[in-house]
Amino acid sequence: MKGIAGESGETSNEATPVNSNINGVAILEFILRFLAAGGTLGSAMAMGTTEETVPLFPQSILLNAKYSDLPMFTFFVIANSVACAYLVFSLPLSFYYIIRRAAKHSRIVLVTFDTAMLGLVTAGASAATSIVYLAHKGNVNANWLSICQQLDSFCERTSGSLISSFASAFLLMLMIISSAIAISLS
C-alpha cells in the first residue's frame, strides 16, 4: 500500500506528464525568482548610490541632490532591499520545489509572501515614480520647477532604478502566476 504524497514529496518515482509539468513550472519559478532578486538588488543599489552636486549660479551656490533627501526614495531603497533579501532567502526553498514536486502547503505560504513582496515593491516604485515625475516635469500650479535640466545624472539614475524595479514587479507577478499553476497541478 502506497502512502499519500505530502510535504515530504512524492512516493513514486514514475515520470508522469503532470509531474514533468510541475518540474518545468518549478524551474521557471526558480529562474524568475533569481531574476527578480537581481532586479530588486540592482534598483536598490542604483537608487541608494544616486548623488549629484552641480553649481547653481556662477559657482557661488552648490545644488546637492541625493536619494536620502526624499523620504519616498528612502522607502524605495528599503522596499527593494527587503524584497531582495526575501527573494534570496527563498531561493533554496524554490530549489527544493524542483526536487520535491508535491510540496503543496509550503508553496501556498511562499505564494502568500511573494504577493506581499509584490505589494511592497510596487508601493515603493509608485512612491518614487511620483517624485521622479515631478523632477522631470515640475508642477506649475504648485510652483515646483523641474530639476532635471540641472541634475541630469541624478534623474537618469533614478529613472533607470524605477525601470528595474517595475521589471522586478512584473517578474514577481509571473512568479505568482507560475506558483499558482504549480499548486493547481499538484
Side-chain angles (χ1 to χ4, degrees), residues 11-30:
T11 58
S12 171
N13 288 332
E14 297 174 8
T16 62
V18 173
N19 288 339
S20 63
N21 288 342
I22 293 172
N23 198 25
V25 171
I27 292 170
L28 174 66
E29 182 183 346
F30 181 81

Side-chain angles (χ1 to χ4, degrees), residues 18-96:
V18 173
N19 288 339
S20 63
N21 288 342
I22 293 172
N23 198 25
V25 171
I27 292 170
L28 174 66
E29 182 183 346
F30 181 81
I31 292 169
L32 290 172
R33 189 172 300 279
F34 183 77
L35 292 174
T40 54
L41 176 66
S43 66
M45 287 178 59
M47 183 69 80
T49 58
T50 300
E51 183 176 3
E52 185 175 8
T53 303
V54 295
L56 195 54
F57 290 112
Q59 306 293 338
S60 60
I61 299 175
L62 292 177
L63 181 61
N64 184 20
K66 54 187 170 181
Y67 89 96
S68 59
D69 292 338
L70 297 165
M72 283 67 73
F73 286 165
T74 304
F75 174 65
F76 176 84
V77 171
I78 292 170
N80 278 288
S81 299
V82 167
C84 179
Y86 163 75
L87 288 167
V88 167
F89 287 134
S90 67
L91 276 172
L93 188 58
S94 184
F95 184 74
Y96 173 75

